[in-house]
Amino acid sequence: MKKARYLLAHGLRKLASRIMPRGHAQGITYPDLGSERLPNDAPRALIIYSATGIDRYVRGVPLSDPIFNKHTIYWESVRMVQILNDAGYIVDYCDVWKPFSVDWKRYAIVIDNLNNLKDIPEELPIKKVYWATNNHWLTWNAAELRRLTWFRERTGITVPMARQLPSTLSDEYADHLTYFGTALQRDSFSQRPRGHCIPISSCVLPPYKKKDLSVARNKFIWMGGGGLVHKGLDIVLEAFSRMPHAELYVVGNMQEEPRFWQWVQPLIATHANIHPLGWMDLTSKEFCDIADQCIATVYASAAEGGPGTIARLLHHGTIPIVTPESFVRAEVHGFQINGSTDQEMIASTMHLVEMVMRMPDGELHNASEKARAFAKDNHTRHAFEKSFASFIKEIM
């Protein structure tokens, strides 16, 4: 009933915006979230972030719908709104990628994922939050360009940029900065705002299944989205092409990046230990069966925001073998890929994979269980809710 009233009110506001003069809420993608249960003079918060999940939410799609398992942002953005509502704030929500105009005086809190905090007049008593889902754009962009250069020098193939970020200054104007990953991620930004780690959630909590080390010891998994060179898949593939006794399962859409696919096809054809699986439904039994039989995840990314894919894999007890720049908080229970060149990183990856395969059963089992326990404590929806609610209470 409440959602029906909201949808009706939202529809009337959209109609009014077409026939009435431009008002203070013009440009707000989803205004007045929670207003049906809060007083008119309640304080307001503005969120500028991805709107895919919010769009479903305002149309009445329940959080149990599978769409909210497609990406952690979809569910997390809705819970951010709901938690702010529970704290007494009416929420206006702007799609981070669409133009909007804002009357900043209306807000007590602004949470920005891009480059808007610089536009807030300094004299306004607004709590300004930079919601960082990456590291600093200069570091990030330079890292991708370096990886693309390495790949071209090594293979002769130029892969287009896929992960470049726009310049963003919000960290220099924020009072608070949130991040999903490690202290290295936080340290890439301005030291002005107070840092708050809010661990990324996982869409699914799979049933517990102890590793069968006789099956899993020599099996590893890489999983990631677009920007495959940026995410270090080429380095991981080169390492495993030199270790035929170690198996690698690749969960990702390699064919969507034609120049990368041009390079990788002959490699796959001549190395039976590399298994391309394409993208998978991470809630499926098929995916869970594969993740359960892998002892570790190998991820050599140049820059991340605290990757949700690794958080998901940790629930299967996969030991993280990752670069420091992947910003995987559970790296303390795994191993770091190091090197200042691609060849050094390939060699480091090989060394760590070989080391894991030689570990005694007891040590290997303990490392797997520590990764799983870390995920249970940190990478759940409950952990995200608790952390975000605590953050809002603190800045209030």
Side-chain angles (χ1 to χ4, degrees):
M1 189 65 179
K2 289 181 180 178
K3 286 182 178 177
R5 288 200 303 270
Y6 173 81
L7 289 171
L8 176 60
H10 185 55
L12 290 172
R13 279 192 296 269
K14 289 177 67 177
L15 177 61
S17 69
R18 296 174 184 169
I19 61 177
M20 295 177 66
R22 185 181 180 92
H24 61 253
Q26 182 70 26
I28 301 297
T29 322
Y30 301 98
D32 302 331
L33 301 177
S35 60
E36 74 281 356
R37 63 184 180 93
L38 291 167
N40 291 335
D41 61 350
R44 283 182 175 266
L46 173 67
I47 299 178
I48 307 168
Y49 195 26
S50 171
T52 303
I54 299 299
D55 179 70
R56 289 355 185 246
Y57 174 63
V58 300
R59 290 196 275 119
V61 178
L63 288 179
S64 58
D65 190 273
I67 184 64
F68 291 104
N69 292 332
K70 294 292 185 182
H71 197 289
T72 57
I73 288 178
Y74 300 166
W75 178 88
E76 288 171 357
S77 59
V78 173
R79 288 300 291 136
M80 288 166 69
V81 169
Q82 292 176 331
I83 288 168
L84 280 163
N85 289 162
D86 291 342
Y89 291 87
I90 296 172
V91 178
D92 287 346
Y93 199 106
C94 285
D95 187 331
V96 70
W97 299 117
K98 291 184 178 179
F100 56 85
S101 58
V102 174
D103 179 1
W104 300 108
K105 295 191 297 294
R106 307 184 77 212
Y107 301 107
I109 298 173
V110 174
I111 299 175
D112 178 33
N113 181 235
L114 201 58
N115 192 34
N116 300 286
L117 297 185
K118 66 182 184 347
D119 300 326
I120 300 176
E122 289 186 13
E123 66 272 14
L124 294 180
I126 297 173
K127 299 289 187 181
K128 297 184 287 292
V129 180
Y130 178 46
W131 187 266
T133 53
N134 44 266
N135 62 334
H136 194 279
W137 62 277
L138 278 173
T139 307
W140 178 291
N141 290 350
E144 182 185 30
L145 294 173
R146 182 166 57 251
R147 291 296 184 90
L148 296 180
T149 301
W150 288 351
F151 186 75
R152 182 185 182 188
E153 291 173 346
R154 201 170 69 249
T155 68
I157 299 172
T158 301
V159 174
M161 297 181 297
R163 305 290 296 190
Q164 292 287 286
L165 296 173
S167 57
T168 302
L169 302 176
S170 279
D171 60 308
E172 298 181 16
Y173 293 85
D175 302 306
H176 302 272
L177 182 148
T178 67
Y179 58 101
F180 292 141
T182 64
L184 188 63
Q185 179 187 9
R186 195 272 169 258
D187 290 344
S188 71
F189 295 106
S190 164
Q191 296 305 298
R192 166 183 161 146
R194 182 175 180 183
H196 306 262
C197 182
I198 297 179
I200 198 167
S201 68
S202 178
C203 299
V204 179
L205 298 182
Y208 175 82
K209 186 173 182 181
K210 183 179 178 180
K211 296 287 185 189
D212 180 350
L213 297 182
S214 65
V215 174
R217 176 178 290 277
N218 72 326
K219 292 182 171 63
F220 300 79
I221 188 168
W222 182 97
M223 182 167 71
L228 300 174
V229 173
H230 173 97
K231 292 177 178 289
L233 178 56
D234 60 311
I235 286 171
V236 175
L237 287 169
E238 291 240 18
F240 277 84
S241 72
R242 305 175 193 180
M243 297 183 293
H245 50 294
E247 295 189 55
L248 177 68
Y249 294 84
V250 180
V251 180
N253 286 328
M254 291 189 287
Q255 295 185 48
E256 288 189 352
E257 300 186 21
R259 285 177 170 254
F260 186 88
W261 184 240
Q262 169 193 343
W263 169 76
V264 83
Q265 277 183 288
L267 194 74
I268 293 171
T270 54
H271 294 83
N273 63 316
I274 298 174
H275 311 283
L277 302 176
W279 193 247
M280 303 181 72
D281 177 359
L282 304 189
T283 69
S284 67
K285 182 179 184 299
E286 180 186 13
F287 171 77
C288 289
D289 287 345
I290 290 170
D292 281 335
Q293 70 176 353
C294 292
I295 192 58
T297 177
V298 188
Y299 200 70
S301 184
E304 291 290 334
T309 52
I310 306 303
R312 174 70 181 85
L313 285 167
L314 291 172
H315 284 285
H316 291 275
T318 56
I319 302 164
I321 302 175
V322 296
T323 51
E325 296 80 12
S326 296
F327 304 136
V328 174
R329 295 183 64 231
E331 68 180 16
V332 294
H333 300 301
F335 305 96
Q336 278 193 4
I337 299 169
N338 291 304
S340 57
T341 69
D342 52 350
Q343 294 298 342
E344 289 177 357
M345 293 179 67
I346 292 167
S348 178
T349 302
M350 294 174 64
H351 168 72
L352 295 174
V353 167
E354 296 278 6
M355 183 178 70
V356 166
M357 288 192 295
R358 292 194 301 268
M359 287 173 64
D361 282 1
E363 290 183 23
L364 205 53
H365 174 71
N366 287 340
S368 173
E369 290 303 302
K370 284 180 180 178
R372 194 192 310 269
F374 187 92
K376 185 177 180 182
D377 289 342
N378 295 277
H379 296 304
T380 66
R381 288 179 166 176
H382 174 70
F384 178 88
E385 290 171 328
K386 182 179 179 181
S387 182
F388 185 73
S390 177
F391 168 66
I392 294 300
K393 182 177 180 181
E394 179 179 344
I395 68 172
M396 285 170 61

